[in-house]
Amino acid sequence: MKVHEYQAKELLGKADVAVPAGIVITTPAEAAKAYDALGGGLVVVKAQVHAGGRGKGVAVGPEVDREEALAIASGKKPRPDGMAKGVQLVRSAAEAEKAAASLLGKTLVTYQTGAEGQAIKKLLITVGHDIARELYLGLAIDRNLKCPVLMASTEGGVEIETVAEKTPEKILREPIDVGLGLADFQARKVCKALGLTGATAKKGVVFLKNFVKFFIDTDASLAEINPLIVTDKGDVMALDCKLNFDDNAMFRHKDLAGLIDEDEEDPAELRAGRSGLSYVSLDGDIACLVNGAGLAMSTMDLIKYHGGEPANFLDVGGGAGKDQVLEAFRILLDSSRVNAVLVNIFGGIMKCDIIASALLAAYDEIDFRVPLVVRLEGTNADLGKELLEKSGRKIITADGLTDAAKKVVAAAKGHAA
Ligand code: GDP
Ligand code: MN
């Protein structure tokens, strides 16, 4: 689950990680008020969308071609005068109001959103700081090391993807023991690598330790501060922050679950979640309905092995009753990319003939516009298969995983042609 910058900063602030003061607003008039409330001077108006690259991004209305906007936001085309950026520095209440009006209700296109862009509904109005240095900090889970890794670089404020690709030696990587958090010596090492000295280094150590503690305590999966700034007064502060939390840990963070912005999430994944189904969206054209994560993984592997690409997979878990299967089919078929559906279910406690009846009932209630391949294994598998074959519906039955994968790959290719 991703959260907005303003939510991330609120959480970091509570965890004693230094962030600039800010106010969230939804109208231009509120922006002017917020400017005054923040004490005037340099103030920053920031579009709140779940994507980075806002500083170079463009806020556009429906009249602007989105591909053109993307080319401008990615620096491939020159920026026309007067095209609003997603992050704007202002110096008066009137300017704040004007900046807000240029953003609210528009679509922000950045190199990260793609041409589609994202709707701007909220702005963060935040105290501006004079920047002495822009640094980079990131925390992510390293799957090989099986622990979080703190990444730090002096190359802040720019696209870290480029730094990682061209000059990876400029990114320091420090593995974290989740039981201990960031040790003092590690914090000092990172501060040294970032070129922080004296009182600033002391502030840096506190910042880093609290940041890492926050990451571990909240079961975050990704946290990126770009830029981390050193102000002209020698303070260390998170000027920007992207945060993702592990969805599978949300059950122990009920307070965080409320931060979800449903407008920014994959609608199919949200819909599946509400019915107790796990849905994962992928790039191919074969939809998969399975029970159990292990079976899902092997189904994906076999489809790929036989030359196909999964469009998604939906795990119905332990149960596969009619209502669940019906909702699952609806979600799977919602994507226009889908050229075939594979049902691969192991009937253990739930017998295969019962599952077959549920499949048939669901099949009849929806307009099944693509081929359906079904492989049932387990208790009463033969009975289930017989029911499907004798039903008179256009359902392709399969024996075993390989047969199912081959049949669905062929069916998808046939349907696409
Ligand atoms: P992003 O483009 O989506 O990553 O948004 P950021 O929050 O990182 O802001 C983009 C850029 O705006 C930063 O890299 C800074 O250069 C600039 N910026 C943001 N806040 C301030 C500020 O308080 N003072 C100054 N001088 N520049 C700022
Ligand atoms: Mn940034």
Side-chain angles (χ1 to χ4, degrees):
M1 183 184 100
K2 292 182 186 174
V3 297
H4 286 293
E5 177 196 8
Y6 77 90
Q7 297 167 318
K9 283 181 167 168
E10 212 171 288
L11 294 169
L12 287 179
K14 280 186 199 150
D16 291 324
V17 178
V19 292
I23 297 171
V24 182
I25 59 104
T26 53
T27 66
E30 284 173 349
K33 264 192 217 149
Y35 178 90
D36 291 332
L38 292 172
L42 180 67
V43 162
V44 192
V45 178
K46 310 182 80 175
Q48 298 298 290
V49 297
H50 284 182
R54 295 165 301 167
K56 291 182 184 145
V58 289
V60 295
E63 74 287 355
V64 178
D65 180 65
R66 294 292 160 80
E67 293 294 340
E68 175 92 9
L70 181 59
I72 297 165
S74 323
K76 291 184 185 123
K77 278 199 175 172
R79 174 184 294 267
D81 283 342
M83 200 172 239
K85 293 181 180 177
V87 175
Q88 299 177 33
L89 304 184
V90 298
R91 291 185 182 275
S92 71
E95 269 179 41
E97 188 164 345
K98 197 169 155 229
S102 75
L103 294 171
L104 287 165
K106 299 278 170 56
T107 300
L108 188 70
V109 179
T110 81
Y111 77 98
Q112 283 191 5
T113 64
E116 218 174 292
Q118 288 180 20
I120 307 171
K121 294 178 180 155
K122 285 181 186 160
L123 304 178
L124 174 63
I125 313 294
T126 176
V127 171
H129 288 273
D130 288 322
I131 303 174
R133 297 184 60 212
E134 286 190 298
L135 310 169
Y136 173 90
L137 271 189
L139 268 166
I141 308 291
D142 185 314
R143 285 169 201 272
N144 291 320
L145 296 176
K146 301 187 181 75
C147 67
V149 170
L150 177 65
M151 290 165 286
S153 177
T154 52
E155 308 301 299
V158 294
E159 280 137 44
I160 198 69
E161 296 91 335
T162 317
V163 182
E165 197 184 311
K166 298 204 173 128
T167 48
E169 72 282 359
K170 288 192 172 162
I171 303 176
L172 173 78
R173 297 169 57 88
E174 195 62 31
I176 312 263
D177 182 316
V178 288
L180 298 174
L182 189 73
D184 286 343
F185 79 90
Q186 289 181 299
R188 284 196 296 269
K189 183 172 151 194
V190 174
C191 285
K192 188 152 187 264
L194 291 175
L196 306 181
T197 54
T200 304
K202 286 212 174 81
K203 287 172 186 167
V205 166
V206 173
F207 185 104
L208 289 170
K209 290 189 71 161
N210 288 346
F211 178 47
V212 170
K213 183 175 187 307
F214 169 81
F215 185 90
I216 296 169
D217 288 350
T218 56
D219 288 303
S221 54
L222 187 85
E224 191 176 56
I225 295 178
N226 190 18
L228 168 76
I229 58 156
V230 180
T231 66
D232 55 344
K233 298 181 186 72
D235 288 327
V236 180
M237 207 176 269
L239 215 67
D240 185 15
C241 182
K242 306 256 173 304
L243 261 187
N244 293 4
F245 296 106
D246 183 347
D247 291 331
N248 293 319
M250 276 301 134
F251 72 93
R252 56 182 186 190
H253 300 289
K254 298 274 190 284
D255 49 328
L256 297 177
L259 300 178
I260 192 166
D261 181 346
E262 301 210 332
D263 294 340
E264 303 258 358
E265 302 287 328
D266 180 335
E269 284 183 23
L270 280 177
R271 189 170 165 191
R274 278 186 214 112
S275 327
L277 306 163
S278 313
Y279 175 91
V280 176
S281 185
L282 301 160
D283 298 326
D285 68 344
I286 298 173
C288 304
L289 193 159
V290 297
N291 62 343
L295 191 58
M297 294 305 122
S298 34
T299 306
M300 305 295 109
D301 282 352
L302 273 156
I303 287 176
K304 282 195 162 250
Y305 184 77
H306 291 287
E309 288 291 338
N312 48 41
F313 71 83
L314 204 151
D315 179 359
V316 293
K322 185 200 146 190
D323 289 340
Q324 254 190 329
V325 173
L326 191 61
E327 181 65 1
F329 276 150
R330 287 201 175 116
I331 294 168
L332 289 178
L333 290 168
D334 204 35
S335 160
S336 57
R337 276 187 290 117
V338 171
N339 282 319
V341 177
L342 171 61
V343 173
N344 188 10
I345 289 184
F346 182 83
I349 297 165
M350 178 82 94
K351 296 182 183 71
C352 289
D353 51 325
I354 308 282
I355 296 166
S357 312
L359 286 173
L360 288 171
Y363 186 90
D364 287 346
E365 276 193 37
I366 3 185
D367 171 26
F368 232 90
R369 55 178 178 82
V370 299
L372 171 64
V373 178
V374 180
R375 179 247 178 177
L376 297 175
E377 194 49 80
T379 315
N380 293 353
D382 293 340
L383 210 59
K385 193 168 174 229
E386 198 183 316
L387 270 172
L388 295 176
E389 280 168 354
K390 286 194 178 148
S391 69
R393 274 73 156 195
K394 274 169 48 187
I395 297 174
I396 305 162
T397 57
D399 292 306
L401 272 170
T402 297
D403 187 42
K406 282 182 179 165
K407 280 179 174 160
V408 80
V409 171
K413 288 197 173 134
H415 188 262

